[in-house]
Amino acid sequence: MSKAKRLNEMIMMVNRKKRFTVRELAEEFGVSKRTILRDLQELSEMGVPLYSEVGPNGGYQILNERVLPPIAFSEDEAVSIFFAIHALRHYLSLPFDIEYESIVKKFYLNLSGDIRDTIDRMQDRVDFQSIHQQEKIPFLKQLLDAAIQQDVLKISYETKGKTSSRTIQPIGIYAKEGKWYCPSYCFFREDYRVFRCDRIQSIERDETITPIDLSHITLKNRFSILNQKKERMEIYVELTKQGVETFQSVNWPNLFLRKRIDGSGYIEGVIEKHDIHFLSTYFISYGEHAMIKKPFELIERTKELINKVLNQYN
Amino acid sequence: MSKAKRLNEMIMMVNRKKRFTVRELAEEFGVSKRTILRDLQELSEMGVPLYSEVGPNGGYQILNERVLPPIAFSEDEAVSIFFAIHALRHYLSLPFDIEYESIVKKFYLNLSGDIRDTIDRMQDRVDFQSIHQQEKIPFLKQLLDAAIQQDVLKISYETKGKTSSRTIQPIGIYAKEGKWYCPSYCFFREDYRVFRCDRIQSIERDETITPIDLSHITLKNRFSILNQKKERMEIYVELTKQGVETFQSVNWPNLFLRKRIDGSGYIEGVIEKHDIHFLSTYFISYGEHAMIKKPFELIERTKELINKVLNQYN
DNA sequence: ATAACAGTGACAAATGTTGTCACTATCATA
DNA sequence: TATGATAGTGACAACATTTGTCACTGTTAT
């Protein structure tokens, strides 16, 4: 085994173990302890964050920020990573802002000038048109980490000018219409709530509360799990030929397009109560090319909205 | 200079040069040709796509797919790359689908099981709610490459059931409301046109046409450059306090929020004619919290849309 | 006090790398 | 056809780097 290979495999092994001793590694790799000490010195110089303790029950640990063995990407792969990071730029706040800066730096050190030019040119030649976020939102990373690790957090949360303290366990985070939301289990209400991330004022880990098991709850199934079936309803919308063409190029969860021979069609499926407002404006944008048949609530909401706007201009 | 350092710098140097000889590299690095031959053999084994020709005017070339020197990312950086790729998943077609697969593979080879679990868990705990694309669209990469390199393309394009041949030079690509668009210079019309990418049936490079210089035209400035100033108009929209709060969390280009002491406010700025339909439905969604004062066209379009929908339900 | 751990420096032995040499092969050009 | 400019191979001595052994130091929980 070459030295370079041994170092790579050592990075992976130390990443895997919580603690380890020099003796352990020497046996694992079939080299002397002295060589392991030298290798660990070299990993340290490479940026692997090693921490050692002497004495009984001593040994080595890796600090939190683990380093991967070096990976050789192709330049197309590097460009595509820049593309993906670029695609996120209209989100003013992301859980990984710091990481994206360091990633860009690491790549730029290794890219030849002509590929850097290509990437710079690409930034002006790709766009994703959607809502741009305006507000800077702290704590996204903590919320996402807490959701992944199933940690309990104590937050201060602002509603209607007042700040209250809440103890929550996040399920995840999602971005919608310019805002970030965090559905969580709220220990205060002993129920599930959705929190707006821009209203969270402070955040800290709360280890006095035992987390509940949310491993079977995800963003996708959170509503069905939470016994909110009453809030789901069937939808049926008639579409003209043009309406069909417009709807055809997008994919809404749980909405299905049925086409007729003449080119017209209809949408059927299941929607949730909290989507009523959004869907009413969505189908208003179809004009005469969509006609909502049910649910009643969606028709009423649409009419209500129409009348409110009409009153503005008459 | 250590061997590892020499190999890294050699990767960067060969990426930079179109062609090179063993002698050239030997002089550059101050080692023997025999050593260079060995090094090139080792780079080859690392995956650097080298290609050699013997005889006068011989030497080495790099095949298209250039490989970067290995980079050691932290695990947080790896997770953030997965996050960015995950954020793109509702785009059914991207210019870099193939690359994302190979990137994921390369990382997975080097990640310890617990970080892989973290990434898997994260996929279910972050969401970006927006329009999901339905249609698979080929040629995105070719269009983007052509825009970056300023190449002329011959495409077959389908409109209204007919397919025509066009010779274009793309400016860039953008995603909007479930579709990909490609604004280009059209040699047939001798003017600028926007093409829907899903309607492009085939694509090939056309080297018989000399490209024009589009380096000063980007997605951002394409409309102002293209002498379409007549199509821009001033906007003024009165907002209630609640309207202000809703508008505040997003950022539209060229739209500026002005607040009053009582919490209400107004929007002023400049819009473009092709945004009229979208903005009318956007402000309809505000209900009674937004009142358009100008432009006249936007008010009329809003009224028109409202009346069309109203006729559906009365 | 003891054992189990990390750690250091020195040096000979083992291993890896390098350059030289002699040779082969290919190919464009005069 | 000969020549010169290129890539390429294998062998081996010289040189460089790595490794393991050894003797020693220091820390810490029991």
Side-chain angles (χ1 to χ4, degrees):
Chain A
M1 183 185 302
S2 76
K3 182 183 174 181
K5 193 168 188 288
R6 190 176 70 237
L7 286 181
N8 274 1
E9 298 196 2
M10 202 176 297
I11 293 182
M12 291 172 69
M13 185 172 167
V14 300
N15 280 343
R16 225 169 25 235
K17 287 176 170 279
K18 299 264 176 187
R19 313 177 65 104
F20 55 91
T21 61
V22 172
R23 183 160 111 179
E24 224 175 325
L25 291 189
E27 284 167 6
E28 179 73 34
F29 288 96
V31 295
S32 68
K33 286 164 66 181
R34 188 69 185 85
T35 295
I36 293 295
L37 283 172
R38 288 195 191 100
D39 285 351
L40 291 176
Q41 169 72 19
E42 198 160 334
L43 291 192
S44 230
E45 285 161 10
M46 278 167 65
V48 180
L50 295 167
Y51 164 72
S52 72
E53 276 176 331
V54 298
N57 304 311
Y60 277 83
Q61 295 175 57
I62 287 265
L63 296 178
N64 251 355
E65 193 190 300
R66 303 193 288 189
V67 171
L68 297 177
I71 300 175
F73 290 108
S74 72
E75 278 183 345
D76 270 356
E77 283 164 347
V79 172
S80 75
I81 287 171
F82 276 93
F83 177 91
I85 293 172
H86 176 74
L88 293 176
R89 75 179 167 174
H90 54 280
Y91 294 99
L92 192 59
S93 292
L94 290 166
F96 297 105
D97 288 316
I98 294 176
E99 282 80 10
Y100 292 135
E101 281 180 39
S102 58
I103 287 166
V104 169
K105 262 189 222 152
K106 284 181 181 178
F107 272 120
Y108 263 60
L109 276 177
N110 288 313
L111 291 172
S112 53
D114 64 324
I115 289 290
R116 255 185 278 182
D117 289 344
T118 295
I119 285 162
D120 290 343
R121 270 181 273 143
M122 182 195 73
Q123 316 266 36
D124 293 326
R125 296 187 184 274
V126 184
D127 201 22
F128 296 86
Q129 297 204 359
S130 64
I131 294 178
H132 287 227
Q133 285 184 341
Q134 175 85 344
E135 289 158 307
K136 191 109 183 102
I137 301 164
F139 309 128
L140 283 176
K141 188 152 202 303
Q142 289 97 307
L143 289 168
L144 180 58
D145 285 343
I148 291 168
Q149 307 303 339
Q150 299 194 41
D151 290 337
V152 177
L153 302 176
K154 178 176 264 185
I155 63 172
S156 50
Y157 190 69
E158 176 194 324
T159 46
K160 297 172 180 170
K162 293 184 195 168
T163 301
S164 61
S165 189
R166 299 286 188 93
T167 300
I168 65 169
Q169 185 172 334
I171 296 170
I173 58 175
Y174 64 92
K176 185 179 182 183
E177 292 174 29
K179 292 187 186 21
W180 282 100
Y181 296 90
C182 177
S184 306
Y185 181 78
C186 176
F187 286 89
F188 179 61
R189 306 282 185 194
E190 295 195 336
D191 199 4
Y192 295 90
R193 293 284 188 274
V194 179
F195 297 92
R196 249 178 59 177
C197 299
D198 56 297
R199 290 186 175 153
I200 297 175
Q201 308 274 24
S202 71
I203 216 165
E204 66 184 280
R205 181 93 181 272
D206 188 345
E207 304 197 339
T208 63
I209 309 270
T210 304
I212 62 175
D213 179 23
L214 297 184
S215 58
H216 58 294
I217 304 188
T218 67
L219 290 181
K220 277 184 198 158
N221 68 14
R222 68 191 188 279
F223 291 118
S224 55
I225 295 285
L226 305 188
N227 291 320
Q228 298 198 5
K229 291 182 184 173
K230 290 178 193 168
E231 311 234 321
R232 303 181 66 143
M233 49 197 75
E234 294 186 343
I235 188 172
Y236 183 97
V237 183
E238 272 288 341
L239 297 178
T240 64
K241 191 173 172 186
Q242 189 169 332
V244 165
E245 192 181 319
T246 302
F247 187 79
Q248 208 158 3
S249 58
V250 298
N251 177 21
W252 295 109
N254 295 321
L255 298 194
F256 305 102
L257 178 65
R258 310 299 183 202
K259 287 203 234 172
R260 298 194 186 98
I261 293 176
D262 66 354
S264 71
Y266 59 96
I267 298 162
E268 68 180 355
V270 177
I271 62 169
E272 289 160 2
K273 187 172 176 181
H274 66 85
D275 287 330
I276 292 277
H277 175 76
F278 177 77
L279 283 172
S280 70
T281 62
Y282 178 67
F283 287 119
I284 286 172
S285 75
Y286 277 65
E288 69 273 24
H289 297 295
M291 184 171 187
I292 303 161
K293 295 292 188 178
K294 69 177 175 183
F296 175 76
E297 287 89 334
L298 182 57
I299 300 170
E300 287 303 299
R301 176 63 188 155
T302 304
K303 281 186 182 173
E304 186 190 328
L305 193 53
I306 294 283
N307 283 312
K308 275 178 183 172
V309 177
L310 206 51
N311 289 339
Q312 296 265 60
Y313 299 108
N314 286 341
Chain B
M1 180 186 299
S2 76
K3 184 184 173 183
K5 192 165 188 289
R6 192 176 70 235
L7 284 181
N8 273 2
E9 296 197 3
M10 203 177 294
I11 294 183
M12 291 172 71
M13 184 172 167
V14 301
N15 279 343
R16 225 169 28 235
K17 287 176 169 279
K18 297 268 179 195
R19 312 177 66 104
F20 55 91
T21 63
V22 171
R23 180 159 112 179
E24 225 177 326
L25 290 189
E27 283 168 5
E28 178 72 34
F29 289 95
V31 295
S32 68
K33 287 164 64 181
R34 189 68 186 86
T35 294
I36 293 296
L37 284 171
R38 289 194 190 101
D39 285 352
L40 291 175
Q41 170 73 19
E42 198 160 337
L43 291 192
S44 231
E45 286 160 12
M46 276 168 68
V48 179
L50 294 168
Y51 164 71
S52 70
E53 275 176 333
V54 296
N57 303 311
Y60 277 83
Q61 295 173 57
I62 288 264
L63 295 178
N64 250 356
E65 192 189 301
R66 303 193 285 188
V67 171
L68 297 179
I71 298 174
F73 290 109
S74 73
E75 278 183 346
D76 271 356
E77 284 164 346
V79 172
S80 75
I81 288 172
F82 277 94
F83 176 92
I85 294 172
H86 176 73
L88 294 175
R89 74 181 170 174
H90 56 280
Y91 293 98
L92 192 60
S93 292
L94 290 165
F96 296 105
D97 288 316
I98 294 174
E99 282 78 11
Y100 293 134
E101 279 179 38
S102 58
I103 287 166
V104 169
K105 263 190 221 151
K106 283 181 183 180
F107 272 121
Y108 263 58
L109 277 178
N110 287 312
L111 291 172
S112 54
D114 64 321
I115 289 289
R116 257 184 277 182
D117 290 343
T118 296
I119 286 163
D120 290 343
R121 270 181 273 146
M122 182 195 72
Q123 316 267 37
D124 293 326
R125 295 186 185 275
V126 185
D127 202 23
F128 298 84
Q129 296 202 1
S130 63
I131 294 178
H132 287 227
Q133 285 183 344
Q134 176 84 345
E135 289 157 309
K136 192 107 184 104
I137 301 165
F139 309 126
L140 283 177
K141 186 145 204 305
Q142 290 97 306
L143 289 168
L144 180 58
D145 285 342
I148 291 169
Q149 308 301 338
Q150 298 197 41
D151 290 337
V152 178
L153 302 176
K154 177 176 260 176
I155 64 171
S156 50
Y157 191 69
E158 176 194 326
T159 46
K160 299 175 182 170
K162 293 185 194 167
T163 299
S164 60
S165 189
R166 299 287 187 92
T167 300
I168 65 168
Q169 184 170 337
I171 296 170
I173 59 174
Y174 64 91
K176 184 179 180 182
E177 293 176 25
K179 294 184 180 32
W180 283 100
Y181 297 89
C182 177
S184 305
Y185 181 77
C186 176
F187 286 89
F188 180 59
R189 304 284 184 191
E190 294 194 338
D191 198 5
Y192 296 89
R193 292 285 188 271
V194 179
F195 297 92
R196 252 179 55 177
C197 298
D198 57 297
R199 292 185 172 152
I200 297 176
Q201 309 274 21
S202 71
I203 217 165
E204 65 184 278
R205 180 92 182 271
D206 186 347
E207 303 196 342
T208 63
I209 309 269
T210 304
I212 62 175
D213 179 23
L214 297 184
S215 58
H216 58 293
I217 302 188
T218 67
L219 289 180
K220 277 184 196 158
N221 69 12
R222 67 191 190 279
F223 292 116
S224 55
I225 294 285
L226 306 188
N227 293 319
Q228 298 197 4
K229 292 186 185 173
K230 289 177 194 171
E231 313 233 321
R232 304 182 66 148
M233 48 196 74
E234 292 186 345
I235 187 172
Y236 184 98
V237 183
E238 273 288 337
L239 297 178
T240 64
K241 189 174 173 185
Q242 191 170 330
V244 166
E245 191 180 318
T246 302
F247 188 79
Q248 208 159 4
S249 58
V250 298
N251 177 21
W252 296 109
N254 296 320
L255 298 195
F256 305 101
L257 178 64
R258 311 297 183 203
K259 287 203 233 170
R260 297 195 186 97
I261 293 178
D262 66 352
S264 70
Y266 59 96
I267 298 162
E268 66 179 357
V270 177
I271 62 168
E272 288 159 5
K273 187 172 176 181
H274 65 84
D275 287 330
I276 292 277
H277 176 74
F278 178 77
L279 283 172
S280 71
T281 60
Y282 178 67
F283 286 118
I284 286 171
S285 76
Y286 277 64
E288 70 273 24
H289 298 296
M291 185 170 188
I292 302 161
K293 295 292 188 178
K294 70 176 177 183
F296 174 76
E297 287 89 336
L298 183 56
I299 298 170
E300 285 303 298
R301 176 64 187 154
T302 304
K303 280 186 179 173
E304 187 190 330
L305 195 53
I306 293 285
N307 282 311
K308 277 179 180 173
V309 176
L310 206 51
N311 289 338
Q312 298 265 60
Y313 299 109
N314 285 342

